[in-house]
Amino acid sequence: QIYVAVKTTGKFHRSRLQPVIDTWYRTAPTSTFFFTDNQPEPGLLQLAKSAGVYRKNPFIETSCPSDHSRTALSCKLEAELTHFLKSAESSDKAWFCHVDDDNYLNTPALLEKLSRYPVDQDWYLGKVSISQQLEIIDRLKPSTGPTANRKTARFWFATGGAGFCLSRTLVDKMRPYLIDGQFQRLADTIRLPDDVTLGYLIEVLLEVPLTQVSSFHSHLEPLRLIPASDLANQITFSYSIYEDTQEANVVEFDGDNIDDIKNFNHVDNHSEHSKDPTRFYKIHCQIFNQCNII
């Protein structure tokens, strides 16, 4: 009943999608789609097709820009949601879930978590990365005076880099704000990124509160604090490099020498970490006991 959308871009197909397709994608190949701005090279496409029973092409090529601008990000999220709406018309998909191409998705933990929420209700599930609600000038409400007197809006938003899920009933109510470029226009109007715009749409315009789920994890938090013994109970993981120290921000395991990991896009030496800088293979090994795929 779950539809999983993965946001990616052409320049990250090989470095980021290879570990995704090798690991968690194989647990849900018929439900997962990669939204990109360019078709992948044949080898990666064949790898993805070989993971599923029906050998489908999971890549959805959008007309969105390939950069990291607000326009590009909101364009892809709109493409994900509209594609879900169309596919849900002829399927039993009750949930839309979004992750980024630098997320590992633990599908059994996701299924267990979603089973706790009635599918016929409005649900906005995710994790915040700020300590208090965001307050903005509400540009959709008319101003009767100077900028200082404009009405403001306060709301939470689920961080896109940790992943989030929306019930189908909620996405159906979002339809007028999604079709024909409406979501991109909303993002431009309030001048905010895609995940923040989504929070504004759901919490402010539709008045559906965010339900926070602590087992979603993004690169914005210290991932070393997740106990390796508790990985099976977590829904998503990510990775990054701290710019100031060049240290790796990854899930850590006993015996790790994190200093070995310096660049996620270059794996030319033969250390264990250079083969698995994202730690996705080791996470997959720990959760599913499938340890010989790297």
Side-chain angles (χ1 to χ4, degrees):
Q1 290 189 304
I2 302 173
Y3 174 109
V4 179
V6 182
K7 181 181 68 185
T8 187
T9 185
K11 69 178 182 178
F12 290 140
H13 282 174
R14 176 56 64 180
S15 61
R16 293 188 179 184
L17 290 189
Q18 176 93 41
V20 166
I21 293 171
D22 280 343
T23 59
W24 73 259
Y25 170 73
R26 295 177 179 272
T27 69
T30 59
S31 302
T32 304
F33 299 87
F34 300 102
F35 286 80
T36 184
D37 41 67
N38 195 10
Q39 280 296 318
E41 60 184 71
L44 192 65
L45 177 58
Q46 184 58 36
L47 181 66
K49 285 184 175 181
S50 67
V53 176
Y54 302 108
R55 300 180 66 84
K56 73 175 179 70
N57 180 358
F59 288 87
I60 308 296
E61 186 175 359
T62 69
S63 57
C64 304
S66 61
D67 57 19
H68 202 67
S69 64
R70 180 178 68 225
T71 299
L73 297 176
S74 61
C75 176
K76 282 181 182 167
L77 184 52
E78 181 180 292
E80 294 174 22
L81 289 162
T82 53
H83 189 271
F84 167 73
L85 285 171
K86 290 178 182 177
S87 65
E89 293 172 356
S90 58
S91 73
D92 62 347
K93 302 298 184 187
W95 290 95
F96 167 89
C97 294
H98 162 96
V99 293
D100 283 347
D101 56 7
D102 59 355
N103 286 131
Y104 180 99
L105 176 62
N106 180 3
T107 52
L110 176 65
L111 287 167
E112 192 281 326
K113 178 63 69 174
L114 294 183
S115 69
R116 305 180 188 184
Y117 302 95
V119 296
D120 59 347
Q121 297 177 16
D122 297 336
W123 294 106
Y124 174 31
L125 309 178
K127 187 176 187 178
V128 301
S129 57
I130 53 178
S131 59
Q132 56 187 345
Q133 287 182 309
L134 182 67
E135 183 172 7
I136 65 167
I137 294 174
D138 196 339
R139 301 179 187 279
L140 291 189
K141 294 180 179 178
S143 174
T144 57
T147 302
N149 294 330
R150 281 185 174 179
K151 293 182 179 179
T152 61
R154 294 173 58 89
F155 59 96
W156 294 109
F157 65 92
T159 300
F164 56 80
C165 293
L166 313 173
S167 62
R168 177 176 173 176
T169 56
L170 176 58
V171 181
D172 281 336
K173 292 176 182 177
M174 294 163 54
R175 187 185 296 267
Y177 301 95
L178 301 176
I179 59 175
D180 300 326
Q182 290 297 324
F183 185 76
Q184 295 177 68
R185 283 190 278 276
L186 177 61
D188 287 340
T189 298
I190 64 176
R191 304 177 187 177
L192 292 171
D194 56 332
D195 53 353
V196 187
T197 299
L198 188 72
Y200 173 85
L201 165 56
I202 296 174
E203 282 222 340
V204 178
L205 299 183
L206 298 181
E207 299 182 342
V208 175
L210 171 67
T211 298
Q212 296 204 46
V213 178
S214 62
S215 48
F216 285 105
H217 300 285
S218 80
H219 65 278
L220 298 176
E221 59 186 279
L223 296 164
R224 68 180 184 279
L225 298 182
I226 304 172
S229 59
D230 197 39
L231 297 185
N233 296 317
Q234 309 308 310
I235 296 175
T236 58
F237 309 94
S238 188
Y239 57 87
S240 65
I241 289 284
Y242 292 119
E243 292 185 5
D244 53 345
T245 64
Q246 290 299 294
E247 286 185 87
N249 178 28
V250 293
V251 175
E252 295 184 9
F253 295 84
D254 290 342
D256 277 352
N257 179 3
I258 300 303
D259 289 337
D260 284 349
I261 312 174
K262 292 299 180 183
N263 193 325
F264 290 111
N265 298 320
H266 294 87
V267 290
D268 354 11
N269 61 56
H270 299 287
S271 73
E272 176 189 356
H273 296 308
S274 69
K275 295 177 184 178
D276 186 15
T278 68
R279 314 311 279 140
F280 282 7
Y281 294 96
K282 200 153 189 176
I283 292 170
H284 196 70
C285 171
Q286 181 94 349
I287 295 174
F288 291 97
N289 197 30
Q290 297 175 0
C291 307
N292 298 314
I293 53 178
I294 187 170

